[in-house]
Amino acid sequence: MIPPALRIRGAVLVGPQEVRDELWVVDGRISFTAPTGTAARDVRTVSGWALPGLVDAHCHVGLDAGGAVDRPTAEEQITTDRAAGALLLRDAGSPADTRWVDDRDDLPRLVRAGRHIARPRRYLRNYAAEVEPDDLVAEVVTQAGRGDGWVKLVGDWIDRGVGDLAPCWPADAAKAAIDAAHAAGARVTAHCFAEDSLADLVEAGIDCIEHATGLTEDTIPLFAERGVAIVPTLVNIATFEGIARGAEEKFPAYARHMRALHARRYDTVRAAHDAGIPLYVGTDAGGSLPHGLVAAEVAELRRAGLPAQAALSAATWSARAWLGHPALTEGAPADLVVYPADPRADVGVLAAPDLIVLRGRPVAP
Ligand SMILES: [Zn+2]
């Protein structure tokens, strides 16, 4: 039996400036030409505003607050992302083997960063491959082999001896590790909350920084000049107050620091965007946060002062290009989401899609 072709009519948001009035899905692929012959016999028409499948550029599948989770739990996580319209995920570090996802046509596409790489006792328990700087290059090569073109470092974390956030890696170790990852064909990103590790990592050639709450007027121009991307994960930064409260008795300087980073988070993100730093939507789902928050993160970018087009692009067109996946182009795999109202007028509509199409097949919202 030939599956019905799908016709989306209304506003097909092909790019930030390009809108078409209809699109067809035939044999799992996007076409801007009406089907003919047998494919034209059975066409289902859906009206609305269509976007490319959303991107969550920082989440964790197979991970929760305690470390690796079993396969049914990981499946529930990625299914929740799918129901939110997030059809392309960059996994920013997972201790679980999630290769089985690649064999499942009904689950989102996953771009992995291997397992987090951290200094011993300088990150969450059970998350990371923990190595000292002398072993960093070897571990980066190992994790580049486990991933899909990304490696994830923990760039800073609380140093309990110092009582505050502090960089995890000497600059020369970071440089050697980033060179090794690039030689292995992987881009490198790092978790960084504070200010101090950023300039060294950019000088070492890093490709992206997660969270990036420590950007300042000194480092923002440097990121912009080098084209280093950031994934702000504002829905996660919202938890800083709780982290500070839990830590203030033992580590008052750390608590103050976290609160200061939190207080200026919107200013930081807006200044980064205004300076031309590429910026993408990521939720940090799968550590302590639930999956499926992609619409909430887009709304946070609006709250930070980004224009609607920029906030949408960070979850769609530009994010897909950054990860090397097509958007709504002729012949591309049909991964798209249809909304009942214009997301450019109100990004809040992203929270309730009418239709989600993955690899040409409708999946339940
Ligand atoms: Zn994360």
Side-chain angles (χ1 to χ4, degrees), residues 4 41 46 49-50 80-81 94 99-100 103 147 189 212 216 238 263 272 293 314 322 335 337 360:
R41 278 186 215 145
V46 176
W49 281 259
T80 303
D81 291 320
S94 178
R99 277 290 153 202
W100 55 270
D103 299 327
T189 190
T216 62
L293 295 179
W322 183 58
D335 293 1
V337 192

Side-chain angles (χ1 to χ4, degrees), residues 54-197:
L54 304 186
V55 176
D56 187 340
H58 181 143
C59 65
H60 305 276
V61 177
L63 177 72
D64 73 7
V69 298
D70 62 15
R71 185 164 156 168
T73 308
E75 182 168 346
E76 200 180 307
Q77 292 176 335
I78 196 168
T79 306
T80 303
D81 291 320
R82 186 186 69 184
L87 305 182
L88 175 59
L89 312 177
R90 187 179 61 138
D91 188 310
S94 178
D97 180 356
T98 57
R99 277 290 153 202
W100 55 270
V101 170
D102 298 347
D103 299 327
R104 290 275 301 268
D105 271 1
D106 61 327
L107 294 178
R109 299 171 202 274
L110 199 47
V111 176
R112 297 170 186 77
R115 185 173 189 175
H116 297 81
I117 304 173
R119 287 288 287 273
R121 296 172 300 286
R122 291 291 302 282
Y123 197 48
L124 299 160
R125 278 166 61 132
N126 304 325
Y127 274 42
E130 298 188 356
V131 294
E132 295 294 356
D134 283 350
D135 299 319
L136 182 58
V137 164
E139 190 59 40
V140 158
V141 171
T142 299
Q143 297 306 327
R146 287 186 71 226
D148 304 305
W150 284 92
V151 168
K152 169 74 176 293
L153 305 178
V154 177
D156 70 10
W157 195 250
I158 184 171
D159 182 328
R160 289 171 179 79
V162 174
D164 198 354
L165 293 163
C168 292
W169 309 102
D172 57 343
K175 172 88 172 78
I178 292 166
D179 287 348
H182 288 165
R187 288 186 274 182
V188 183
T189 190
H191 160 113
C192 297
F193 284 162
E195 297 82 351
D196 291 352
S197 64

Side-chain angles (χ1 to χ4, degrees), residues 33-50:
T33 311
T36 54
T38 50
R41 278 186 215 145
D42 187 10
V43 178
R44 176 186 166 202
T45 298
V46 176
S47 296
W49 281 259

